[in-house]
Amino acid sequence: MDQEKVIVVDFGGQYNQLVARRVRECNVYCEIYSYRTDLEKIKAMKPKGIILTGGPNSCYNEDSPTYGKELFELGIPVLGLCYGAQLMMHILGGIVKGAPVREYGKTEVFVNTETALFENVSPKTVCWMSHNDYIERVAEGFEITAHTADCPVAAAENVEKGLYLIQFHPEVLHTDEGTKMIFNFVRKVCGCKGSWRMDSFVEDSIQMIRAKVGGGRALCALSGGVDSSVAAVLLSKAIGNQLTCVFVDHGLLRKDEGDEVEAVFGANGAYELNFIRVNAQERFYRKLEGITEPEEKRKIIGEEFIRVFEEEAKKIGTVDFLVQGTIYPDVVESGLGGESAVIKSHHNVGGLPDCVDFKEIVEPLRNLFKDEVRKAGLELGIPEHLVFRQPFPGPGLGIRIIGDVTAEKVRIVQDADAIYREEIAKAGLDKSIGQYFAALTNLRSVGVMGDERTYDYAVALRAVNTVDFMTAEAVEIPYAVLQKVMGRIINEVNGVNRVVYDLTSKPPGTIEFE
Ligand code: XMP
């Protein structure tokens, strides 16, 4: 399949993934590669366009990331953004220097709307600037196409050579008309037709999986989360009951979640696959007995999960393929795609450990962003409550209970969380809040209920909005809703006599409460 493609060359900018997402929003397929990627490799991919990202360095420093001049001589349109713009000028003979006035934040920019990049953009528009260096003089053959009060070269182009640069960040939503600019580049300048669509992704993937797996057997660790659910359904549509899904219920799931997953994927569900549910609750509780340190809990849960999965896999015998719900941000964040530092280590990119006997890994979602995975899920007919599920950590409620974990505490946090979710939905807030849940503080305090003294636990409610999960703000939930939740939790959940709302943002807090 010869898909038209735009390549993002990553110079370590924090918005690298956003660039690729915006391109895909224009229905153009896009992949991210480090600036260390060989020119020959880039050429071989036959991209319709190349975008250079921002980055934290100064391009005139000797050890800063750079690229060979030949990149600009391929006859393929190139768009440089921020650092990418400066680098393009630096390499082609312009002058880049420390700016007399550094720009950061929303800035008014004046653009030449006669140019292809700014077609249909307002002459005066708002952009997101974040730079210390600036382009003092463009290279020969370039025309300046935008400026701000402090930045003489906010954009420039050499139409003949197909080279474009933008000093600001059209990929972030703070740039009001940024999406139009990216659309103009990929669809008009590069001439992409825009045929990348989810329905074609689903169809193509099914064909590809069939070709790869043939008559072989595949095994999938299903968590009920969006990624593994979509991966499992895709595989089931492609190879039916050549697929076995193992669902480990570690007793740290939200209320009734185990049964919900079973209802969708189990024998009475809608899909053709072999579904094995392992009820390992007691086993996990035993392992967690007396353990209070959060990292230690995470480790124990992770290791035990692998152990259980391994035992089940052994019962099945050798399988040919192991299915993983790896998605594109996992790949990029693990340092395999772009240039970003390894941010999270809890993603198993590249497979579960070698304890499972399999020949090859299948990662059908490896090239998709989260919102694309969700679209694929809807396309595949997966129920909305699974497709739009909130993020839920692998170690589950084990890390939403401060201190040691017991079956009793799990019951308390499950019940409190279920009430919280129900009331948030009733108040019509469930679609607008990014992530919300109840956690159990290890704090017990004195209360009074009826005429009785109580000495019970405090439940903490958390609700945050976040764009990228790196930063988050606590949500201003209407007081009446919070009070309703508090009242119901105290009345309906035995063992709780206090409810607090966590106001902390991230940083300094984290989203989870562990
Ligand atoms: P924190 O607590 O680090 O969470 O601010 C950021 C986001 O990551 C989720 N999270 C996890 N997801 N396995 C996961 O799959 C984990 O171990 C894990 N820990 C945190 C968290 O729910 C939030 O969305």
Side-chain angles (χ1 to χ4, degrees), residues 86-344:
Q86 296 165 4
L87 186 69
M88 187 194 289
M89 288 300 90
H90 181 68
I91 292 173
L92 298 179
I95 298 177
V96 180
K97 278 188 174 164
V101 182
R102 292 190 290 182
E103 284 179 305
Y104 182 80
K106 285 190 178 185
T107 310
E108 233 173 34
V109 60
F110 301 89
V111 306
N112 178 354
T113 56
E114 308 276 294
T115 58
L117 216 48
F118 298 123
E119 200 183 308
N120 295 326
V121 174
S122 325
K124 186 171 89 178
T125 183
V126 171
C127 73
W128 182 257
M129 280 287 193
S130 171
H131 63 120
N132 298 332
D133 289 340
Y134 84 128
I135 298 163
E136 188 186 69
R137 208 181 69 207
V138 292
E140 215 181 295
F142 280 79
E143 298 252 348
I144 296 171
T145 55
H147 67 276
T148 72
D150 292 312
C151 181
V153 185
E157 63 182 24
N158 180 337
V159 177
E160 199 189 316
K161 297 226 159 95
L163 303 179
Y164 298 79
L165 56 105
I166 296 181
Q167 174 59 68
F168 53 88
H169 291 277
E171 70 275 23
V172 305
L173 292 176
H174 304 304
T175 296
D176 286 351
E177 297 178 86
T179 307
K180 271 189 217 165
M181 300 170 196
I182 299 217
F183 181 92
N184 285 343
F185 178 69
V186 297
R187 300 289 292 273
K188 302 214 164 123
V189 174
C190 303
C192 293
K193 286 195 277 303
S195 45
W196 163 251
R197 294 229 157 54
M198 267 312 124
D199 51 351
S200 50
F201 167 82
V202 167
E203 249 332 288
D204 293 346
S205 299
I206 289 175
Q207 298 309 328
M208 276 189 309
I209 293 166
R210 281 189 186 142
K212 181 167 179 172
V213 175
R217 300 190 47 148
L219 176 66
C220 174
L222 182 68
S223 71
V226 188
D227 305 341
S228 66
S229 297
V230 174
V233 172
L234 205 47
L235 261 290
S236 125
K237 298 255 176 191
I239 59 166
N241 52 22
Q242 284 162 254
L243 171 71
T244 301
C245 287
V246 174
F247 168 57
V248 178
D249 186 341
H250 52 21
L252 303 165
L253 297 168
R254 287 172 295 188
K255 192 173 182 176
D256 300 330
E257 201 164 19
D259 296 340
E260 282 165 19
V261 172
E262 186 169 352
V264 174
F265 294 100
N268 300 321
Y271 305 106
E272 189 192 354
L273 51 86
N274 301 304
F275 177 84
I276 300 173
R277 173 175 178 172
V278 191
N279 287 312
Q281 294 90 333
E282 291 309 321
R283 189 170 160 168
F284 279 85
Y285 297 158
R286 263 202 313 279
K287 282 275 169 188
L288 287 168
E289 224 172 87
I291 310 291
T292 56
E293 213 278 312
E295 273 306 303
E296 203 182 338
K297 286 197 275 183
R298 279 177 175 271
K299 227 190 230 148
I300 290 172
I301 297 166
E303 273 168 18
E304 201 57 16
F305 183 90
I306 306 264
R307 223 38 25 88
V308 175
F309 185 73
E310 176 186 32
E311 284 168 23
E312 287 309 312
K314 286 228 166 88
K315 287 185 204 158
I316 299 168
T318 305
V319 291
D320 306 283
F321 298 91
L322 186 73
V323 183
Q324 291 253 284
T326 314
I327 71 171
Y328 202 47
D330 303 339
V331 175
V332 176
E333 283 167 17
S334 303
L336 299 178
E339 190 49 35
S340 13
V342 175
I343 297 163
K344 292 181 194 161

Side-chain angles (χ1 to χ4, degrees), residues 3 13 23 36 51-52 58 67 70 82 107 131 151 201 212 217 226 238 242 328 346 355 463 465:
Q3 182 139 55
V23 172
R36 293 188 175 88
I51 302 181
L52 315 181
S58 282
Y67 211 94
E70 303 77 23
C82 197
T107 310
H131 63 120
C151 181
F201 167 82
K212 181 167 179 172
R217 300 190 47 148
V226 188
Q242 284 162 254
Y328 202 47
H346 57 235
C355 61
N465 276 333

Side-chain angles (χ1 to χ4, degrees), residues 298 346 391-395 399-400 435 469 506 510-512:
R298 279 177 175 271
H346 57 235
F392 187 66
I399 57 159
R400 289 182 182 171
Q435 195 174 351
F469 296 94
K506 172 184 180 175
T510 58
I511 293 175
E512 290 298 338

